[in-house]
């Protein structure tokens, strides 16, 4: 590349990078208006297969309690605890339904895991990290384990770990409402 072309290329790249950075910063700012209702499937990358560890294995022949089962469950847990998230959702204001898994004791709680199905993290193994949202509240709420709720607020792509499971996302709740279907 000759010097004049290299200079134009450098100026072009610097301008493009600068515009890209400003666009990315603008997208990270919390958008105005009501939060967008999201589904749990949206939190998983489209090409991620949570069952890929089981492909080609005859799971039905693995004896319950055997070393083979323990090894397979360990592999699955490792894969699910490191489940990929969707970076483009960082900063998005979402409204998501789910079930409450309290992280602090008592009748008033300030943080909980939001999970997509009843019993997750309590009666069954935790779902993949990209299906667990760590919710924090500004003030304590009266919520019980497995209450069905709608939670709204800015979503952050942030991995967290608790005794109940590994979360791939965090959400600072602006609102928490009892679940009454999709409509408000």
């Amino acid at each position: 590349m000759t010097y004049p072309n290299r200079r134009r290329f450098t100026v072009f790249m610097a301008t493009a990078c600068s515009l890209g950075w400003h666009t990315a910063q603008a997208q990270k700012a919390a958008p105005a208006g009501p939060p967008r209702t999201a589904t749990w499937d949206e939190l998983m990358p489209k090409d991620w297969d949570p069952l890929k560890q089981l492909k080609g294995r005859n799971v039905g022949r693995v004896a319950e309690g055997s070393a083979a089962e323990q090894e397979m469950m360990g592999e699955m847990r490792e894969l699910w605890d490191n489940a990929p998230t969707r970076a483009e959702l960082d900063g998005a204001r979402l409204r998501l339904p789910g079930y409450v898994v309290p992280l602090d004791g008592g009748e008033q709680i300030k943080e909980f895991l939001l999970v997509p199905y009843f019993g997750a993290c309590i009666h069954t193994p935790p779902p993949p990290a990209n299906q667990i949202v760590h919710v924090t509240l500004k003030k304590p709420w009266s919520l019980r384990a497995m209450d069905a709720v709608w939670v709204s607020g800015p979503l952050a792509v942030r991995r967290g770990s608790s005794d109940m499971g590994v979360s791939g996302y965090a959400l600072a709740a602006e609102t928490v409402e009892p679940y009454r279907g999709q409509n408000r």
Side-chain angles (χ1 to χ4, degrees), residues 83-154:
T85 54
R86 294 189 50 207
E88 67 273 19
L89 293 176
D90 195 32
R93 287 188 63 236
L94 299 180
R95 180 174 181 253
L96 191 65
Y99 295 92
V100 172
V101 177
L103 291 178
D104 42 8
E107 291 181 24
Q108 301 280 310
I109 64 172
K110 237 184 145 183
E111 62 180 319
F112 61 91
L113 299 180
L114 187 69
V115 295
Y117 53 88
F118 189 87
C121 300
I122 293 178
H123 300 297
T124 64
N130 58 21
Q131 296 292 285
I132 300 176
V133 177
H134 181 198
V135 177
T136 54
L137 306 167
K138 289 179 185 171
K139 59 182 182 177
W141 272 67
S142 180
L143 293 167
R144 296 174 302 158
M146 292 296 120
D147 277 351
V149 295
W150 282 103
V151 178
S152 300

Side-chain angles (χ1 to χ4, degrees), residues 12 36-37 66 94-95 98 103 110 121 124 128 155 158 173 175:
F12 169 78
R36 178 179 66 80
T37 299
S66 69
L94 299 180
R95 180 174 181 253
L103 291 178
K110 237 184 145 183
C121 300
T124 64
L155 189 72
R158 185 171 59 230
T175 63

